[in-house]
Amino acid sequence: MIQERIMQILRAGGNVDYECGREAAKRHIAEGNPGVYDTFPALVKVFGPDWVNGYFEYRNAWAVLNRP
């Protein structure tokens, strides 16, 4: 994430970690690998709870909207 985007999130009163997680989910979906972290056991320890919440909330919403 670039500094300009981080400042934009902060000015809006957002949570940078949460937004980073959402953007990572968007990137993984665009790359065709939305389940990349499904079996990773230590996500919260590595990225933090806000990042994980942002990631999985976005990814799960995408999965619901794109059911076969």
Side-chain angles (χ1 to χ4, degrees):
M1 182 176 290
I2 61 173
Q3 183 70 26
E4 182 178 320
R5 177 68 177 126
I6 291 171
M7 294 308 295
Q8 189 179 44
I9 293 166
L10 291 174
R11 281 192 296 271
N15 182 322
V16 174
D17 290 335
Y18 182 85
E19 293 299 325
C20 283
R22 286 176 48 88
E23 291 186 15
K26 289 177 189 179
R27 187 178 65 250
H28 289 152
I29 290 166
E31 293 170 352
N33 196 7
V36 69
Y37 287 137
D38 286 351
T39 59
F40 193 78
L43 273 180
V44 174
K45 289 181 182 178
V46 174
F47 294 109
D50 290 336
W51 189 97
V52 172
N53 286 339
Y55 185 89
F56 283 109
E57 285 179 8
Y58 187 90
R59 206 282 313 269
N60 291 342
W62 173 84
V64 167
L65 293 173
N66 291 285
R67 286 185 190 164

